[in-house]
Amino acid sequence: MDEKSLPDWDPRSEAVLKDQTTAYDDMRRRCPVAYSQYGYTSLFRHEDVLRVLKDHESFSNAVSRFPSVPNGMDPPEHTVYRNLIEPYFSPEHMDAFAPVCRDIAVRLVRALPDEGPSELIGEFAQIFALRIQCAWLGWPADLHEPLRLWTLKNHAATLARDDADLAAVALEFDGYIKDLLEVRRTAGAAAPNDITTILLRDQSLGRTLTDDEIVSILRNWTVGELGTISASVGILAHYLAINSEWQQQLREQPALLPAAIDEILRIHAPLIMNRRVTTKQVMLGGRTQAKGARIALNWASANRDEAVFGDPDEMRLDRDPELNLLYGAGIHVCPGAPLARLELRIVMEELLGRTSRIALAMDKEPVNAFFPASGFSSLPLRIQKPSSQALGACLPPEIP
């Protein structure tokens, strides 16, 4: 970006933060390649975002100030680590984890008050995200609350762009993981056979991974999982609360849930943006970007591009799934997509299958999350449950 160029927009202005989706829609139509005073060029069109995703030679993923395995790497280094982590999200791992995931979802839905107000984000979505992540990685329950507080601190440090706070937050997370690794090393053959232990013993590179490599991998998985799963659950519940016809159809036809979940999260993104940096001078939307220019890919806008999706708010289950950038595209497409899809499908199956009505609370308004998060920071709902007799007739047997 020419240093003399005036900013095209302020992504942290009150108007943008009040209604991110509307603001991004406006930018896509008015200024689809936009400079900001924060040193980034934001891309709002599907075409431009997809181009960057597929051209990893011109747009590097090595943007983090901390080691990031493999998210913050480019080929050939990225390829090596990507091949290492992909087996952890295999169909076999997903099948093995599904009963655990369902048990967590069942317990949390059961705990929701019948008819009374429920604060879905704090009382359900965040708890589900924490418990599900810890269960998948084999982490103890006493880590739930520290991780919840850590997520809030990480969000605040990211928003403030405070390097000292970001470094402190990263160091705190490193300490949690290194303690978990030490427990497993001490246990030896008696260590739990969970994902963390398997990663500790992984020999895919012809050697064991260093602690720094394991910490980076687990930090990437955890940061991405906790925020986006919690946001996604809130977005899905809100959409169904205000669209009773879809709520009823998905109760009656749960097989439609996978496509419906991806489509709802296309309409209302759980993740706002991702970053790249140019490796050479490039042209984007008629504007020259110098080598080293920082690029922000705005998922929340690209997935609502009228040129690709028509009416961005129209809910359709027959769209080409390849066009939906919910999990990215290209070599950096989210490796954890199978896990996220499993978790969201199961939690929505249980939320719909064990309730008869989900509606917005009449006396309290939802509160939007603020950048860099998406979704809702507060979502008051009224959730009605069927009688125990009716519930038993339509649900499978309980998981012991």
Side-chain angles (χ1 to χ4, degrees):
M1 177 176 71
D2 184 346
E3 292 182 358
K4 297 180 180 179
S5 298
L6 295 175
D8 298 304
W9 76 311
D10 180 357
R12 301 186 186 185
S13 69
E14 183 178 349
V16 172
L17 297 181
K18 182 178 179 180
D19 188 347
Q20 293 184 87
T21 298
T22 298
Y24 301 150
D25 284 349
D26 176 65
M27 290 302 298
R28 183 176 64 252
R29 297 157 186 159
R30 180 173 61 84
C31 186
V33 179
Y35 303 145
S36 82
Q37 64 265 46
Y38 302 105
Y40 280 90
T41 297
S42 293
L43 306 183
F44 294 95
R45 290 187 303 205
H46 189 281
E47 176 185 5
D48 294 329
V49 170
L50 190 60
R51 174 194 165 188
V52 171
L53 292 174
K54 292 190 172 182
D55 184 2
H56 58 269
E57 293 182 354
S58 302
F59 301 94
S60 170
N61 225 42
V63 297
S64 176
R65 55 175 63 89
F66 304 106
S68 183
V69 181
N71 304 41
M73 296 175 168
D74 298 316
E77 187 180 32
H78 168 268
T79 307
V80 172
Y81 286 99
R82 179 75 186 218
N83 290 340
L84 181 149
I85 69 170
E86 282 192 341
Y88 289 85
F89 303 98
S90 67
E92 292 75 19
H93 274 299
M94 298 304 98
D95 289 345
F97 184 58
V100 178
C101 180
R102 191 169 299 278
D103 185 50
I104 292 170
V106 167
R107 293 173 187 274
L108 287 175
V109 174
R110 277 178 169 177
L112 289 171
D114 187 7
E115 293 286 2
S118 300
E119 206 306 284
L120 195 85
I121 303 303
E123 297 175 3
F124 185 85
Q126 291 177 349
I127 298 173
F128 176 74
L130 281 165
R131 290 185 182 178
I132 213 74
Q133 179 69 0
C134 288
W136 185 62
L137 294 172
W139 295 354
D142 60 14
L143 202 52
H144 291 172
E145 182 61 10
L147 275 179
R148 187 186 71 82
L149 297 175
W150 177 85
T151 302
L152 296 176
K153 286 185 280 188
N154 183 62
H155 182 195
T158 301
L159 179 64
R161 299 169 64 86
D162 187 310
D163 289 349
D165 280 355
L166 283 168
V169 169
L171 188 63
E172 179 182 339
F173 185 87
D174 292 2
Y176 294 141
I177 304 306
K178 288 180 179 179
D179 287 346
L180 291 167
L181 297 181
E182 184 58 33
V183 167
R184 283 156 175 74
R185 287 194 177 101
T186 301
N193 185 31
D194 54 37
I195 293 291
T196 302
T197 300
I198 296 170
L199 195 61
L200 182 64
R201 297 171 178 171
D202 195 300
Q203 294 285 327
S204 301
L205 301 184
R207 60 172 176 81
T208 55
L209 295 169
T210 66
D211 280 7
D212 286 343
E213 288 170 328
I214 296 173
V215 166
S216 181
I217 290 170
L218 292 175
R219 187 194 300 120
N220 279 329
W221 287 352
T222 304
V223 173
E225 186 80 356
L226 293 181
T228 54
I229 290 298
S230 174
S232 295
V233 172
I235 290 166
L236 293 167
H238 177 265
Y239 189 91
L240 296 182
I242 64 174
N243 291 276
S244 57
E245 298 87 355
W246 275 108
Q247 183 181 152
Q248 187 58 32
Q249 184 171 353
L250 293 174
R251 288 185 193 282
E252 296 170 355
Q253 297 176 278
L256 298 179
L257 270 170
I261 289 169
D262 279 9
E263 176 69 350
I264 294 169
L265 298 180
R266 178 199 64 77
I267 294 170
H268 186 165
L271 181 66
I272 296 297
M273 56 86 106
N274 199 242
R275 298 174 294 161
R276 296 291 191 274
V277 61
T278 58
T279 61
K280 58 186 178 183
Q281 180 175 295
V282 296
M283 184 75 73
L284 284 168
R287 307 184 84 161
T288 301
Q289 306 296 319
K291 179 180 179 180
R294 296 189 293 172
I295 307 296
L297 309 180
N298 193 299
W299 310 113
S301 172
N303 256 350
R304 293 175 53 82
D305 193 334
E306 296 86 348
V308 176
F309 301 104
D311 179 355
D313 290 308
E314 182 185 7
M315 172 82 163
R316 286 177 45 189
L317 303 188
D318 62 347
R319 298 189 188 275
D320 180 354
E322 294 297 318
L323 297 175
N324 191 336
L325 301 179
L326 176 61
Y327 294 102
I331 65 169
H332 293 289
V333 67
C334 178
L339 179 63
R341 284 191 165 111
L342 172 77
E343 293 169 351
L344 293 175
R345 174 181 61 80
I346 286 177
V347 74
M348 294 311 295
E349 284 175 352
E350 296 302 332
L351 189 58
L352 290 172
R354 294 176 182 274
T355 64
S356 55
R357 183 172 178 265
I358 300 170
L360 295 182
M362 299 299 293
D363 54 342
K364 294 182 180 179
E365 293 288 331
V367 178
N368 291 335
F370 57 89
F371 183 87
S374 184
F376 303 92
S377 61
S378 175
L379 181 58
L381 297 179
R382 286 195 174 274
I383 296 176
Q384 183 176 342
K385 298 180 181 179
S387 67
S388 58
Q389 181 176 359
L391 187 63
C394 64
L395 291 174
E398 288 297 332
I399 299 169

